[in-house]
Amino acid sequence: MKKLIVRILLGLVLLVGLALVAVSLFLDGAVRRGIETFGPMLTKVDVKLQSVSLSLFSGSGQLKGLVVGNPAGFKTPSAIQVNLASMALQPSSVLSDKIIIRSIELRAPEITYETDLKGNNLSKILANLQAASGPSNNNSTATKSTGASRKLEVDDFLISGGKIHVSVTALGGRSATVPLPDIHFTDLGKGPDGITAAELAQKVFAAIEHESVQAASSSVADLTKDAAGLTKGLGKDAGSAADKVTKGLGNLFKKP
């Protein structure tokens, strides 16, 4: 009788363990599918995530291999690459009306700021996000039906140790690399109203775009020297083209 009870208990423990593993795998897959489904819907560019690993008990975990592509017409492979990000959420909130995320940290992201002197890739993505989260968005019904408008609360969001690769199309793709200042948000979506994924992404992208413009301005001198060097000795017309490029670079980074 005792042996039977022990076997039943062991069986129950095994079943509970398997159930927890299944739920954990489901949670990991749900996060990945959510990012790869709602990401392109909001940004209008490809969004890929290599893997997700979240603990069902603590709510903490890691996201690896996040890649945000570029809008059509831009030549660089991606706008943002994040090899490793950490995340901690409140497990009990996953099934509630508002998911509570304790912290998100994007570590050492690689930001590509590509410009043709008229606009840039980050501004284009930001415009797409603003359209997705705006009150007049035509896709709002479809977005709500798929869950992209579900409310979030993010207590702490940190981007640290990043780099910005400034690529100027008019200079034949020549680029310069400058550090991205840390970006830190707290208490996003506090209160009953929360914040949607589109609103969160818009806020983060706006900060990245702003800091990219400011940081990239420090590389203007080197880039304009390259522009002048490209046309040195090639005649008056080539020199005039270089002047246009350098003037365009100067005007680009004067934007507020």
Side-chain angles (χ1 to χ4, degrees):
M1 186 66 179
K2 289 182 179 179
K3 290 183 178 181
L4 179 60
I5 293 174
V6 170
R7 288 176 182 175
I8 292 174
L9 290 175
L10 288 175
L12 289 174
V13 170
L14 180 60
L15 287 174
V16 170
L18 290 174
L20 290 174
V21 170
V23 171
S24 181
L25 291 174
F26 171 80
L27 181 60
D28 292 350
V31 171
R32 182 179 177 183
R33 286 192 300 273
I35 290 174
E36 292 189 337
T37 300
F38 301 140
M41 182 188 302
L42 301 175
T43 62
K44 308 303 181 186
V45 300
D46 288 338
V47 178
K48 298 297 182 183
L49 183 62
Q50 181 180 337
S51 66
V52 179
S53 176
L54 288 174
S55 168
L56 181 64
F57 297 103
S58 66
S60 61
Q62 293 182 335
L63 289 75
K64 295 181 179 179
L66 175 65
V67 179
V68 178
N70 265 327
F74 291 92
K75 302 182 183 303
T76 48
S78 63
I80 297 176
Q81 292 189 37
V82 183
N83 289 331
L84 182 64
S86 61
M87 180 180 182
L89 54 81
Q90 183 176 305
S92 60
S93 70
V94 173
L95 300 178
S96 67
D97 293 334
K98 184 171 75 170
I99 299 176
I100 299 175
I101 301 173
R102 297 304 184 192
S103 66
I104 299 175
E105 182 180 359
L106 307 186
R107 303 172 189 171
E110 300 278 340
I111 311 296
T112 299
Y113 180 92
E114 181 183 343
T115 178
D116 58 2
L117 305 183
K118 297 178 182 178
N120 66 78
N121 57 335
L122 298 182
S123 291
K124 176 61 177 175
I125 294 174
L126 178 58
N128 293 338
L129 285 167
Q130 290 170 336
S133 61
S136 60
N137 175 31
N138 292 330
N139 295 322
S140 58
T141 301
T143 301
K144 288 179 180 178
S145 67
T146 54
S149 62
R150 191 174 182 185
K151 299 299 183 179
L152 306 173
E153 175 185 316
V154 182
D155 296 335
D156 194 274
F157 193 114
L158 176 63
I159 301 175
S160 63
K163 294 180 181 179
I164 305 166
H165 305 292
V166 184
S167 177
V168 182
T169 305
L171 297 181
R174 278 174 167 74
S175 63
T177 299
V178 293
L180 173 71
D182 289 355
I183 296 173
H184 192 201
F185 295 106
T186 58
D187 298 332
L188 299 175
K190 281 281 190 179
D193 292 337
I195 188 172
T196 65
E199 292 166 342
L200 174 62
Q202 180 183 331
K203 185 177 287 292
V204 172
F205 254 92
I208 290 175
E209 198 268 348
H210 174 76
E211 293 294 349
S212 295
V213 170
Q214 298 301 313
S217 64
S218 65
S219 65
V220 168
D222 291 336
L223 291 173
T224 52
K225 286 178 183 178
D226 286 345
L230 283 173
T231 57
K232 187 176 181 180
L234 295 181
K236 184 177 179 180
D237 291 341
S240 177
D243 289 340
K244 290 180 180 179
V245 171
T246 56
K247 185 179 293 184
L249 285 168
N251 292 334
L252 176 69
F253 295 114
K254 286 179 182 178
K255 60 186 291 187

